[in-house]
Amino acid sequence: MSDLPDFLDLEGVKVVDWHRFENQYAFEIEVTKGLVREDRCKNPPCRMTRNGPRGKPPRFTDLPINKKWVELILKRQLYRCKLCKVTAKDPLPTSLHPIHKMTMRLFQHIGEANIRQTDEALAREVGLSTDTISRVFKSFSDDVFASTHFDMPEVLGFDEKFWLKKYCCVIGNIKERTLINILPSRSSAALDTYFESRRDRHKVKVVCLDMRSEFHSVARRWFPGAAIVLDRFHVESKVVAVLEQIRKAEAETLSKEERLELKHDAKLLLLRGGGNDEDSRERLSRWFDRLPRFAAAYWAKERFANMYDTKCSSPEAKQLYKAWKASIPNEIYRDFFDVIKFVNPREDVVFAYWDNRFTTNYLEGINRSIEGLKWAGSGYSFDKMRAKILLAHSTHKLEKRPKFRRMDLSTKELRPGFFNSLGGAKGGEVVTYYETVNYGASIDKLIEIFDTPGGFEGLDPFKPAT
C-alpha cells in the first residue's frame, strides 16, 4: 500500500505499508526528512548515493491501537560516497527513542502509568517484557529526578533505613521538615557520589547525624565548615540501654510473678519525671522502694535527660556533663561507664547540640511511616517507591523568595544621580524579582498520606499540582 494517511501522527515518519494480525498491528514506516548528503562527504564536490538497505530494519513499539499491540518497522535509507567511501543513513526521527526502541510517547506513557500499575499489567497492555518495563521506568524517573531540583538545606540530616531487604539512606532538610532524597545504599561511595553532584552544598551550615561512623566521615569530607551534631536521642538511648540492663539484673532477685510485673512496667522507664499520672508514679515508686539500685539508675537517666533540656552554651553543657558524672552513685558507676566511654571521645559532636539544637528525630518518624508501606507497596520496586515518595507535586514544600532587585527605567525619565541608590525613585522604580525554592517533599504531608487508607496508592508523582 502507498500514500496511506498519517494516522500514526508521529513526527518525522510516514506509513508506507501496514499489516493486521490477531493481537498486533505492524506498520512499515520511512523517514520523511532524509540525510543531507553533501554534509557527510569529506570532499565538498562529491555526492553520496543510495546504497540500498542492509540488514534487518530496526523495530520499535508504539502505544496500542484498539487494545492491540503496535510494532513499527523503520526503513532507513543507507548512503555511500564512491570517492571518499563515507557511509551514512537517514537520521533517527525525534519521535523515536534511540535507546529503548520505542516511540517517545510510549516511553512517557510507561513512565507515568507504571507508578499506578504493576509491571505485569503494563507489560500485557503494551506488549513488552517486565524487564523492559522496569528499565524504561528507571530511565524515565532518572530523567524526572534530574530535572527536579530540591534546594540544599542549611540544616542537613541523613539516616539509614532497612527497606525492601536492603539498607538505604534517607536525606532530609531538618529545618524545613522535608525529604530531599532516598539513596539506594548507605555506603560512603553512594553518599560521595550524591554530594559531589550537589554544587550548592556550600549552603549547609549544620549536619545532624546518628552514630554511624561512615556518615561522620562523609560529613567532614563534604561539609568541612559545617557544625556536625550527634543526634541527642541516639546518645540518650545509650543511657536507657544501661537502665534496661540494670532492670533485667534486678529482676533476677524477684519471684516469677514479680518479674513478669516488672517486665510489664518496663515501658514506664521511658517516662520523664517519674510518670505522667498518679498511677504511673505510684507503680514506679513501689519498684524504687523495692529495688534501690534500679531507682538510682532511673534518676541518673533523668538527670542526663534534664541536661539535654537545659538551654545553655556548649561549654556550659560540658560542665553539666561533668556534674552528672560526679552524681552517679558508686554502686552503678561501672554500669554507666559504657556511656562515659562513648561520650568522652565524641565531645565535639555530642555537645555541638547545645549550640545547634537540631535532631534527626523527624527522619526517624518518616522511617517508621516508610516501614508501614511494606504492605501497601507490595510489588513495588525501590525506584517506584522512591519516585512515588519524592516526586509527588502535592507534597512539595515551595517558597517564593526575592532573588534580586533592578531599577526599571521604563517608568520614569533618567535623572542625574539615580545610580547612587536602588532604594529611591530617582530615574525609575525598583522592581523585585522572585524565585520559587523547592525544599523537597514535606514530611508532615507524607505522614498524613501514609496514615490515610489508600493514600499511598493514590499518590501520583507525575500529576501536576492543582
Side-chain angles (χ1 to χ4, degrees), residues 30-77:
E30 287 183 350
V31 179
T32 56
K33 187 177 181 180
L35 180 73
V36 182
R37 304 173 203 172
E38 55 268 23
D39 292 345
R40 299 301 299 269
C41 287
K42 295 179 180 179
N43 303 315
C46 71
R47 294 290 184 269
M48 304 192 81
T49 59
R50 293 174 179 267
N51 201 36
R54 291 183 180 177
K56 293 182 179 180
R59 296 171 181 263
F60 294 78
T61 308
D62 195 15
L63 288 171
I65 297 178
N66 297 330
K67 298 184 179 181
K68 290 187 177 184
W69 303 335
V70 174
E71 184 180 54
L72 308 180
I73 305 170
L74 178 62
K75 294 184 176 181
R76 300 170 71 183
Q77 181 63 51

Side-chain angles (χ1 to χ4, degrees), residues 9 71 105 214 228 248 256 264 275 293 297 308 311 322 330 339 368 373 388-390 393 410 412 455:
D9 194 23
E71 184 180 54
R105 62 192 181 192
E214 289 87 344
I228 300 177
K248 291 180 179 179
K256 182 178 180 180
H264 179 268
R293 189 166 175 269
Y308 266 103
K311 293 184 178 181
K322 290 180 180 179
N330 293 332
V339 177
R368 289 190 291 271
L373 296 179
K388 211 170 178 65
I389 291 172
L390 292 177
H393 297 282
S410 63
K412 294 187 178 182

